[in-house]
Amino acid sequence: MPDSNRHQQQQQQQGQKVTLWGLFINLTIGIAKIIIGWTCGTKALLADGVHSLLDLISDFAVLLAFKFSFEPEDENHHYGHHKFTSLVQLFIGMLLIVFASGLVLSAFTDVNIQTDQQALGALPFIVALISLAVKEALFWWTRAVAKKQKSDLLMANAWHHRSDSVSSLAVAVTLLFIWLAGPDWLMLDDILTAVLASYLIFEAGKIVWKSCSDLMDTAPRQEIIDDLREHILTNDHAIAYHQFRVRKVGDFYDVDFHLQVTADLTIQQGHDVSGAVKQALLDAHPEVLNVFVHIEPATADHLVERGIHS
């Protein structure tokens, strides 16, 4: 199996695994927080439980992305379906902005989400604390897989897990101070919520910007381009190249360029050089999905005309 195909299969399997665990955790914790919040009369924990269940939308979206983005080319999608990943990233980013904006708004309104101090005790605080620990661990796990697989989609979902841990942190702090010191400490929840939610909006904005850039075929960072270029002129018959272009397709890259080869090569030999250069690039970079090479003769006039030097 080629390295690029193996990389895609590995990324799909690991991404689905961590997302399925996230879905299971969100469902379990969400139900637990709703039951305890309803039983103990704490609206803060109840609202946090609803948020955890809403995270299921993000998890399902990621699973759909892994299913459809790896579908092969068909009659209506000649370049495959990998950009579906960028669409899901955009969806998750917008979902994060909406939720975090709601948190900021709630921090500056007079709506009191917790009024019944008598019903509170250790149990709601412990549940919120467990939720915080589990969702923070899920964030770091998903983030680690995303960095290993270089997956912007998983990184976006990791930050969505972080939004839940931020929410649980605010709830835990609120419940603790109300339980120990009374409702006068509610303002700390507002301050903490506003600060952390603003940070989430900033991170979500980066996700939205990056997904839009990918959908617009914006070139990747210069260091990525330079790293890809290093493998082009490793063949003795590859003299120079120009019109080098890279675009993001989901979590992968498409590369195309014009390769100038020794002028006296036959068509077959030129084709072989092109194939060798392409394979060298694919072997060195499993995250590259396709390489398109246009062969040209490396004549002196042609090199001068193109402004290329060997």
Side-chain angles (χ1 to χ4, degrees):
M1 180 185 295
D3 288 343
S4 58
N5 291 341
R6 188 182 298 111
H7 180 74
Q8 292 179 54
Q9 187 179 58
Q10 183 183 44
Q11 183 175 23
Q12 185 178 22
Q13 291 173 348
Q14 293 189 6
Q16 286 176 333
K17 178 182 178 181
V18 70
T19 305
L20 282 171
W21 270 105
L23 191 151
F24 172 76
I25 290 171
N26 283 327
L27 182 61
T28 304
I29 288 183
I31 293 175
K33 286 190 286 191
I34 288 175
I35 292 175
I36 300 300
W38 182 272
T39 304
C40 297
T42 163
K43 296 177 183 177
L45 192 59
L46 189 64
D48 196 31
V50 173
H51 174 219
S52 293
L53 292 183
L54 287 177
D55 281 353
L56 296 175
I57 298 175
S58 173
D59 293 328
F60 277 120
V62 173
L63 290 174
L64 283 175
F66 276 112
K67 175 178 175 56
F68 290 109
S69 65
F70 287 90
E71 290 292 322
E73 298 85 354
D74 57 33
E75 185 177 344
N76 296 320
H77 303 87
H78 297 174
Y79 296 96
H81 301 76
H82 287 278
K83 282 189 176 289
F84 189 78
T85 298
S86 299
L87 285 175
V88 172
Q89 290 175 44
L90 179 61
F91 169 75
I92 293 174
M94 295 300 295
L95 199 64
L96 267 173
I97 288 176
V98 170
F99 171 73
S101 299
L103 286 179
V104 173
L105 184 62
S106 69
F108 290 100
T109 59
D110 295 328
V111 178
N112 192 344
I113 60 175
Q114 172 55 52
T115 57
D116 189 4
Q117 184 185 0
Q118 300 300 322
L120 290 175
L123 183 58
F125 169 70
I126 291 174
V127 171
L129 209 58
I130 291 174
S131 173
L132 168 61
V134 171
K135 288 310 295 278
E136 190 67 11
L138 187 59
F139 162 74
W140 285 104
W141 181 23
T142 307
R143 181 177 180 271
V145 175
K147 291 185 71 175
K148 180 181 178 181
Q149 299 294 335
K150 299 180 181 179
S151 172
D152 293 331
L153 173 62
L154 286 177
M155 188 61 75
N157 204 35
W159 279 104
H160 204 254
H161 292 317
R162 169 58 66 84
S163 75
D164 203 9
S165 66
V166 166
S167 175
S168 295
L169 175 61
V171 171
V173 170
T174 301
L175 294 178
L176 178 63
F177 277 96
I178 294 176
W179 177 35
L180 297 179
D184 291 339
W185 289 92
L186 275 174
M187 62 178 180
L188 290 178
D189 174 58
D190 294 335
I191 295 173
L192 181 64
T193 298
V195 172
L196 295 180
S198 298
Y199 173 64
L200 283 177
I201 291 175
F202 173 74
E203 291 296 335
K206 292 198 295 185
I207 292 173
V208 170
W209 177 264
K210 194 171 190 319
S211 61
C212 289
S213 296
D214 293 346
L215 290 170
M216 291 295 293
D217 289 338
T218 303
R221 301 189 310 273
Q222 188 60 45
E223 57 264 32
I224 294 177
I225 295 176
D226 292 340
D227 192 23
L228 293 171
R229 281 176 164 172
E230 289 181 0
H231 308 279
I232 297 178
L233 300 182
T234 55
N235 189 286
D236 292 338
H237 294 288
I239 307 303
Y241 64 92
H242 64 101
Q243 293 189 21
F244 184 87
R245 301 185 299 179
V246 185
R247 65 170 183 159
K248 194 81 179 293
V249 281
D251 285 330
F252 300 92
Y253 296 98
D254 273 353
V255 178
D256 67 86
F257 56 93
H258 291 211
L259 180 66
Q260 308 231 324
V261 300
T262 307
D264 59 355
L265 295 182
T266 65
I267 294 177
Q268 181 61 54
Q269 289 172 328
H271 176 76
D272 292 342
V273 171
S274 169
V277 171
K278 174 179 177 179
Q279 194 57 50
L281 203 156
L282 290 173
D283 290 342
H285 294 277
E287 71 275 13
V288 173
L289 188 65
N290 295 302
V291 179
F292 305 96
V293 183
H294 173 74
I295 293 294
E296 295 177 351
T299 61
D301 292 341
H302 204 57
L303 289 171
V304 171
E305 177 186 346
R306 295 291 188 178
I308 301 173
H309 303 283
S310 57

